[in-house]
Amino acid sequence: IWFLAPTVDLCLQQHNVVLSNIPAVRSRTLTGLDKVELWTDQTIWDAVLHDVRIVISTHAVLADALGHGFVKISQLALMVFDEGRTQS
């Protein structure tokens, strides 16, 4: 499952909700905070995503990963688009 949110703050907020409600499923965020723009090798992506069932990222991260072929659309069972705003 790939969960897309428009901002890093919203990704982190949604990841906390996933961790609280589905603790048995391995999940992680992928954002610019992780320096994903430097991950230029398939082995890095494979290692990071190993056994991860839910990824929460910004749209740009998934677009770049798909564009470079590190992630294939056929690997995604479900994409969730969150267009909400973070609460201040």
Side-chain angles (χ1 to χ4, degrees):
I1 298 171
W2 206 290
F3 193 108
L4 297 165
T7 67
V8 173
D9 286 340
L10 193 53
C11 287
L12 298 174
Q13 179 183 336
Q14 295 298 354
H15 188 235
N16 285 333
V17 171
V18 169
L19 287 173
S20 296
N21 291 289
I22 317 172
V25 175
R26 189 157 178 232
S27 64
R28 72 162 296 153
T29 58
L30 293 179
T31 68
L33 297 174
D34 299 300
K35 306 285 188 209
V36 293
E37 68 276 5
L38 302 177
W39 300 355
T40 58
D41 190 276
Q42 184 68 51
T43 57
I44 296 169
W45 282 92
D46 291 346
V48 167
L49 295 175
H50 183 71
D51 287 335
V52 173
R53 298 294 175 234
I54 302 173
V55 176
I56 301 98
S57 80
T58 58
H59 301 84
V61 169
L62 181 58
D64 289 347
L66 289 168
H68 288 94
F70 298 128
V71 174
K72 297 188 180 15
I73 198 78
S74 61
Q75 294 173 287
L76 309 180
L78 175 68
M79 289 176 58
V80 178
F81 296 87
D82 183 348
E83 295 299 327
R85 300 190 188 275
T86 57
Q87 296 180 15
S88 300

